Amino acid sequence: MSNSFGARSTLSVGGREYRIFRLDALNREGVDVARLPYSLRILLENLLRLEDGVTVTRDDILALARWDPASPPDREIAYTPARVVLQDFTGVPCVVDLAAMRDAMAELGGDPGKINPLQPVELVIDHSIQVDAFGTAEAFEQNVELDYQRNAERYAFLRWGQQAFQNFQVVPPNTGIVHQVNLEYLSRVVFSTDENPNLARDEGMPLAYPDTCVGTDSHTPMVNGLGILAWGVGGIEAEAAMLGQPISMLIPEVIGFRLEGELPEGATATDLVLTVTEMLRKKGVVGKFVEFYGPGIASLALADRATIGNMSPEYGATCAIFPPDQVTLDYLRFTGRPEERIALVEAYMKEQGLFHSADSPEPVFTDTLTLDLNTVQPSVAGPRRPQDRINLSDVKKAFAQALPSLIPSGGAAKAGVKDAAAIGLEHKADGDAGVWGEGSGAADASQAAAEASPQSVEEGIDHGSVVIAAITSCTNTSNPSVMMAAGLLAKKAREHGLSRKPWVKTSLAPGSKVVTEYYEKSGTLPYLEALGFNVVGYGCTTCIGNSGPLPEEISKEIQDRGLVACSVLSGNRNFEGRINSDVRANFLMSPPLVVAYAIAGRIDWDPYNEPIGEDAEGRSVFLKDIWPTNLEVASAVQASIDSAMYARSYGAVFEGDDRWKSMPVPAGDRFEWADDSTYVRQPPYFENMGRQAPESVTDITAARAVAVLGDSVTTDHISPAGSIKKDSPAGKYLVQHGVDPKDFNSYGARRGNHEVMIRGTFANVRIRNQLAPGTEGGFTTYFPQDEITTIYDAAMRYQQDGTPLMVLAGKEYGSGSSRDWAAKGPYLQGIKAVIAESYERIHRSNLVGMGILPLQFMPGENVESLGLSGRETFDVVGVTEVIGSNLKTREVTVRAAGEDGATKEFRAHVRIDTPQEVLYYRHGGILQYVLRQLLNGRETPEAVESAAPAPVTHRVTDDESKVAEGSQESFPASDPPAY
């Protein structure tokens, strides 16, 4: 290491010496490091420690140290995170790719053992379990049993990876949700080389440095609440980081978010984060860092900070970080971290000037905004996007306004109130308990019990009926205050004689077992269970679309009558088609509100002026009668949670249950691919790959558009997610391979099989392609025959024709989860370029990582303004020059030849943003680049031109923040979004 600033020093903690790299060494260069935002100081330490004169230079360090908040980002740096966090949906493809890279390395004459994580990698299995059984004491065991039946092959593959790869650990199923496990156990806050055997000691001393991480899930910033610099990346970027490649990034803009005051009575951390999400999405922070400061920080519990960090991708920021302080230390101690760790965190952060106190100077920021916490009101977000916040008092009105745009074609004519008896619901007079009648269609695992009063059974379902109520997601289940509020509300509701409506599928899926333990200790769990909120598993469940099927009678009623059914969930995502294919309106809210809406049974209920139900004497009960006070919640939390709970829950976190321990595990350092597997198959990314990259890239000629899409197309729309339909291309493939439809599992569970995933790409049930007007669910026109067909089938026919493909899109293309298959699927379908009005950060990066060219319309231009129909053939001219010039020129010409022979030309920005991304694109993708680096024995990344790229004048626009703040304002009622 170069150490050109003399930053190398020592730190003594508890009688032990650590090597550190001091930030104040830069003071000798006339730099006031204390003026920098906390997040940039973490990046600065990373560069100081890893300065080598090649990947990280002295000039890189000075450029960051002298950061000018008024200047647009134009300097690339190489950032190396301390560790990588995976979940199983995105983690399985990572391990599949690593296994395939070992094969490719061997076939090209290299050492497959070089394909091995160099940074610690921890994978938490949390995305697989589904809510099949619910509302019964047996629900958890039945769901776990089904989980293992469906996913045994995937789990065995991950267990193989755990023994085949070094530095790779797996947290078994039903331990918790990745981000909550990361927050409560995995996060170190300060890391040391004691925990990474691949890093050498310095004169026998371990290095101490800030804990930083990237994760293959967009909600990785949840640990920003601990002061850890972390964000989500695509799976292919994570694989490169695992293999020791630095992350190439531009020095970011940092938005300061000042907090003042305290939350008022009745407002929860969920209400706060929905308010923050709305404010920051309006502000326009896509691709930027957000950092919280001000006196209001001290009033927020660590879990509240983590809740805010968790929602970072919902407002588009790379991260949303809080500096560590005494609250951080208290949380580490409370969650059972060793005292040695806490001492290291305190000593290191204070020594480096990274510890926040009331006397800490305020940093400078690119821009700022302020929130008085006392102004936060009870809120929900929906029906389509997490940034569409609605005051609780306005939900009924907002749903009525949005309803016309949510009703499916012909749905309004078919709708009309029916009573529950007409749809096969039977009420059983057994106390006040009710169950679904025989043949209700609840999962094969069990009959799902449901509480109901005779009056509520007669009400039936209609537009606005809540059919799913889920306490789910690390966003809120990591927060004891909102979880305890849900338990206390359930207790008061039962004491008032209230029950949930019989058509509501209820579930409780905590992010860690600690939640269940403190619910049991507080005595609130029986009341939650009495309302149907039995524990169904420890995983993401409904938040990621694993809500399981609705009972058949409910599903049939919704479909037959074209109803706009609703879900309420304490999650972070509510995009169309995500939660359940039968549900068209999804609302995010706090856990206690989830319980309340399960009782009310409908979203068009005024919680302030309409009763939530009646007690045993027929008297009206209002929400205010059962809502717990802040003092009640705080007292229950204090009396019911202790550090020993965390120690018990995480004491054997990597061991798993008997099912996990008894699974047969494949042996060997190279995986033996099974030809008949429908879960794990060898991917084709390295077929016919040479030892060297092609000498140059070529322009794109005679391309066809396979999709013309509107605004806010998410990775949920692009990437296969949720259930697999029998008559879909993926369903037909599975049937042809002997899989019964009841065993299809989900797309997420089959991400290790590219044959399934390519067939599900652009097949979301809510996607609307303008090239197939009047259709929904992934159709297009195959132009040689002018034939409407599925996008997959058309793509395969175009491949046979030798025709490259393109996608045209609007604003915020690729927002949402960090799904690498949203780039891998299009790549395998033959898509060579996307032209959009703007991109979300992770997806744009993933496109480059798969060798797909992301282009951006010039400001003020789009498909409509340019008069494009999508029926043209397209040439993209100038790609060779842009890549060859290493981004000194940033624009290409697009020629669109119409069916009448007329040609239109327009310019487009190339959204390859850094010289390192130029290398990825030259090599055909990031995996090919890394493989060639390791194959050819390069210990440092391939050299890139050291000159900084030209300023990215159109890297990210604020158009994302100008997409109207509410769904009802975003799209006229008569003109739903054309996804």
Side-chain angles (χ1 to χ4, degrees):
M1 295 302 172
S2 298
N3 191 34
S4 64
F5 297 95
R8 186 168 167 268
S9 185
T10 58
L11 175 69
S12 179
V13 184
R16 194 159 183 228
E17 296 290 316
Y18 291 88
R19 181 70 71 200
I20 66 170
F21 283 76
R22 300 185 65 92
L23 290 169
D24 58 11
L26 286 161
N27 292 345
R28 292 190 289 269
E29 302 292 327
V31 174
D32 180 11
V33 175
R35 63 180 271 283
L36 291 176
Y38 167 77
S39 53
L40 294 191
R41 281 178 268 167
I42 298 297
L43 283 179
L44 186 59
E45 188 281 337
N46 198 273
L47 298 187
L48 273 175
R49 177 166 37 89
L50 297 171
E51 181 192 3
D52 61 0
V54 180
T55 304
V56 179
T57 68
R58 177 184 174 86
D59 287 344
D60 293 333
I61 296 169
L62 286 174
L64 179 55
R66 293 169 177 164
W67 177 74
D68 181 359
S71 298
D74 63 358
R75 179 83 186 201
E76 179 193 11
I77 58 173
Y79 159 67
T80 303
R83 58 191 176 94
V84 178
V85 174
L86 312 174
Q87 39 94 334
D88 53 307
F89 269 17
T90 50
V92 166
C94 285
V95 181
V96 165
D97 290 350
L98 291 178
M101 289 178 76
R102 280 193 170 180
D103 293 341
M105 178 70 85
E107 291 166 6
L108 290 168
D111 177 9
K114 288 185 176 180
I115 308 298
N116 205 66
L118 297 178
Q119 303 284 28
V121 179
E122 290 143 340
L123 184 151
V124 180
I125 299 175
D126 66 349
H127 271 51
S128 297
I129 192 164
Q130 300 182 42
V131 185
D132 289 281
F134 69 98
T136 70
E138 295 77 30
F140 173 77
E141 283 299 325
Q142 292 167 340
N143 288 329
V144 171
E145 183 64 30
L146 282 171
D147 182 26
Y148 272 91
Q149 289 176 18
R150 291 168 174 149
N151 298 295
E153 186 178 345
R154 296 170 62 246
Y155 294 168
F157 174 68
L158 290 176
R159 290 207 62 190
W160 167 80
Q162 191 168 18
Q163 62 87 24
F165 295 108
Q166 299 174 18
N167 237 6
F168 177 64
Q169 294 193 89
V170 177
V171 176
N174 282 293
T175 303
I177 301 175
V178 56
H179 308 303
Q180 192 162 342
V181 174
N182 195 10
L183 180 76
E184 296 176 352
Y185 179 75
L186 296 175
S187 289
R188 285 79 159 177
V189 184
V190 173
F191 216 90
S192 82
T193 48
D194 287 338
E195 299 165 276
N196 187 352
N198 290 314
L199 297 181
R201 291 175 172 242
D202 190 335
E203 296 181 351
M205 280 186 283
L207 270 72
Y209 47 95
D211 180 13
T212 55
C213 77
V214 292
T216 57
D217 192 287
S218 51
H219 295 96
T220 303
M222 182 164 176
V223 294
N224 292 167
L226 278 170
I228 296 171
L229 188 59
W231 61 78
V233 297
I236 46 185
E237 284 182 291
E239 292 167 38
M242 290 158 60
L243 294 167
Q245 300 295 311
I247 292 174
S248 177
M249 61 181 290
L250 295 176
I251 295 175
E253 297 179 81
V254 184
I255 306 300
F257 198 123
R258 182 179 178 85
L259 297 175
E260 300 174 348
E262 298 183 11
L263 287 175
E265 183 70 40
T268 68
T270 312
D271 305 320
L272 169 59
V273 76
L274 293 179
T275 302
V276 168
T277 299
E278 178 188 42
M279 291 176 64
L280 286 171
R281 183 58 80 168
K282 287 181 180 178
K283 183 75 172 176
V285 294
V286 173
K288 302 173 186 179
F289 284 13
V290 172
E291 187 165 317
F292 292 86
Y293 72 108
I297 288 180
S299 70
L300 293 181
L302 197 289
D304 296 346
R305 303 175 187 184
T307 301
I308 293 172
N310 179 284
M311 292 283 278
S312 176
E314 273 56 73
Y315 37 87
T318 301
C319 64
I321 199 164
F322 290 79
D325 58 8
Q326 187 60 46
V327 173
T328 310
L329 299 179
D330 293 343
Y331 182 82
L332 293 176
R333 184 168 286 110
F334 184 71
T335 50
R337 264 63 166 216
E339 284 299 323
E340 296 80 6
R341 167 78 60 194
I342 299 168
L344 176 61
V345 170
E346 182 173 12
Y348 180 88
M349 290 298 182
K350 288 182 175 178
E351 187 73 15
Q352 290 279 51
L354 297 171
F355 194 82
H356 183 266
S357 69
D359 298 327
S360 298
E362 290 189 353
V364 295
F365 297 104
T366 305
D367 198 358
T368 61
L369 67 168
T370 301
L371 172 65
D372 181 351
L373 297 176
N374 191 55
T375 64
V376 173
Q377 300 182 50
S379 307
V380 308
R384 292 188 180 98
R385 303 184 307 177
Q387 65 263 37
D388 295 335
R389 188 189 68 84
I390 310 167
N391 286 336
L392 183 61
S393 58
D394 295 332
V395 173
K396 182 174 182 177
K397 177 183 176 182
F399 178 73
Q401 291 174 335
L403 182 59
S405 70
L406 296 166
I407 295 174
S409 177
K414 295 184 285 184
V417 175
K418 276 191 176 183
D419 64 19
I423 58 172
L425 295 179
E426 300 172 4
H427 183 65
K428 179 179 178 182
D430 181 12
D432 66 348
V435 296
W436 293 108
E438 288 296 324
S440 68
D444 294 338
S446 73
Q447 290 292 94
E451 288 264 339
S453 67
Q455 292 88 346
S456 64
V457 172
E458 293 171 2
E459 290 174 7
I461 65 171
D462 198 0
H463 291 316
S465 291
V466 172
V467 296
I468 291 176
I471 300 176
T472 177
S473 174
C474 51
T475 311
N476 286 289
T477 68
S478 62
N479 194 315
S481 65
V482 293
M483 293 297 283
M484 192 62 73
L488 294 174
L489 186 141
K491 181 175 185 292
K492 291 188 176 188
R494 292 301 295 149
E495 289 171 347
H496 280 77
L498 301 178
S499 301
R500 69 180 168 106
K501 295 298 184 287
W503 52 79
V504 186
K505 181 174 185 177
T506 45
S507 59
L508 168 61
S512 81
K513 295 179 180 178
V514 174
V515 176
T516 306
E517 190 166 351
Y518 67 65
Y519 267 156
E520 290 173 341
K521 185 174 180 180
S522 69
T524 57
L525 186 59
Y527 297 100
L528 284 162
E529 291 174 338
L531 292 172
F533 288 96
N534 300 75
V535 173
V536 295
Y538 296 94
C540 301
T541 61
T542 302
C543 187
I544 59 161
N546 283 358
S547 57
L550 296 179
E552 287 181 6
E553 287 78 7
I554 297 293
S555 178
K556 185 175 186 300
E557 188 73 3
I558 292 170
Q559 294 176 24
D560 288 351
R561 295 168 57 203
L563 296 179
V564 177
C566 302
S567 74
V568 296
L569 64 151
S570 62
N572 45 44
R573 291 278 163 82
N574 59 340
F575 302 128
E576 283 190 306
R578 178 184 179 93
I579 304 304
N580 187 286
S581 59
D582 287 328
V583 178
R584 287 183 170 266
N586 305 290
F587 293 86
L588 306 180
M589 58 186 63
S590 65
L593 281 179
V594 169
V595 177
Y597 273 97
I599 296 168
R602 67 186 201 275
I603 203 70
D604 54 345
W605 159 61
D606 182 347
Y608 289 88
N609 299 302
E610 296 178 13
I612 192 172
E614 295 181 349
D615 63 17
E617 283 73 39
R619 293 172 300 203
S620 293
V621 179
F622 290 83
L623 181 60
K624 65 181 180 181
D625 299 326
I626 60 174
W627 191 267
T629 66
N630 290 355
L631 179 60
E632 288 173 326
V633 172
S635 299
V637 168
Q638 185 174 6
S640 305
I641 310 178
D642 57 57
S643 296
M645 293 178 177
Y646 292 92
R648 283 191 293 271
S649 290
Y650 292 113
V653 68
F654 298 110
E655 291 185 11
D657 59 16
D658 291 340
R659 294 181 182 90
W660 179 259
K661 294 175 183 176
S662 62
M663 290 181 67
V665 183
D669 291 335
R670 289 177 62 186
F671 188 70
E672 294 185 12
W673 309 96
D675 292 337
D676 60 347
S677 174
T678 57
Y679 275 102
V680 178
R681 294 184 69 86
Q682 185 177 22
Y685 309 129
F686 308 107
E687 290 178 358
N688 303 316
M689 175 182 157
R691 292 182 67 98
Q692 304 295 332
E695 291 186 6
S696 64
V697 300
T698 60
D699 292 343
I700 299 170
T701 58
R704 283 285 192 178
V706 75
V708 177
L709 307 170
D711 295 339
S712 298
V713 171
T714 72
T715 52
D716 280 9
H717 289 110
I718 307 165
S719 175
S723 60
I724 302 172
K725 299 295 184 183
K726 181 179 178 179
D727 59 352
S728 68
K732 292 175 182 177
Y733 166 86
L734 291 173
V735 169
Q736 289 169 0
H737 285 74
V739 180
D740 192 282
K742 69 180 178 61
D743 299 320
F744 276 2
N745 211 333
S746 66
Y747 279 112
R750 293 190 180 272
R751 283 186 180 178
N753 183 345
H754 63 278
E755 295 287 2
V756 171
M757 299 303 284
I758 186 177
R759 287 165 170 81
T761 300
F762 291 112
N764 182 286
V765 295
R766 295 288 178 262
I767 197 167
R768 298 166 195 158
N769 183 3
Q770 294 175 26
L771 295 182
T775 67
E776 192 175 54
F779 291 90
T780 191
T781 297
Y782 175 67
F783 289 116
Q785 273 76 49
D786 211 27
E787 176 186 343
I788 299 289
T789 184
T790 66
I791 288 178
Y792 166 76
D793 289 329
M796 295 303 100
R797 292 166 72 177
Y798 280 126
Q799 281 195 18
Q800 292 174 356
D801 301 340
T803 302
L805 299 178
M806 296 178 63
V807 171
L808 307 180
K811 302 179 183 71
E812 295 181 307
Y813 185 72
S815 59
S817 301
S818 59
R819 301 191 189 281
D820 55 338
W821 269 107
K824 285 180 175 178
Y827 164 81
L828 292 174
Q829 287 186 349
I831 292 169
K832 302 300 182 184
V834 176
I835 313 179
E837 291 182 65
S838 64
Y839 294 87
E840 291 279 290
R841 176 183 59 86
I842 297 176
H843 184 61
R844 183 208 59 80
S845 176
N846 277 347
L847 290 175
V848 178
M850 288 307 299
I852 296 175
L853 183 66
L855 301 174
Q856 192 155 318
F857 289 110
M858 301 294 282
E861 294 184 348
N862 53 36
V863 170
E864 183 179 359
S865 71
L866 292 168
L868 301 175
S869 68
R871 303 179 68 89
E872 303 88 351
T873 57
F874 296 87
D875 296 338
V876 182
V877 181
V879 179
T880 304
E881 287 74 15
V882 171
I883 300 302
S885 72
N886 204 34
L887 305 183
K888 287 184 173 60
T889 177
R890 303 299 299 275
E891 293 180 7
V892 293
T893 297
V894 182
R895 296 190 185 120
E899 295 173 303
D900 58 359
T903 299
K904 299 175 183 177
E905 282 194 5
F906 58 93
R907 301 287 282 172
H909 283 281
V910 175
R911 287 300 312 280
I912 294 177
D913 288 355
T914 69
Q916 188 67 37
E917 289 185 342
V918 169
L919 289 177
Y920 298 157
Y921 189 74
R922 282 177 176 168
H923 281 259
I926 194 171
L927 298 181
Q928 293 86 343
Y929 167 78
V930 171
L931 181 57
R932 288 189 178 109
Q933 291 290 106
L934 296 170
L935 176 67
N936 295 315
R938 296 191 181 98
E939 295 183 0
T940 58
E942 182 179 333
V944 297
E945 195 167 330
S946 58
V952 186
T953 58
H954 199 59
R955 180 170 181 260
V956 172
T957 74
D958 283 338
D959 286 343
E960 293 90 340
S961 65
K962 296 174 185 174
V963 176
E965 292 91 33
S967 294
Q968 62 273 22
E969 291 86 24
S970 299
F971 312 105
S974 60
D975 185 22
Y979 286 119

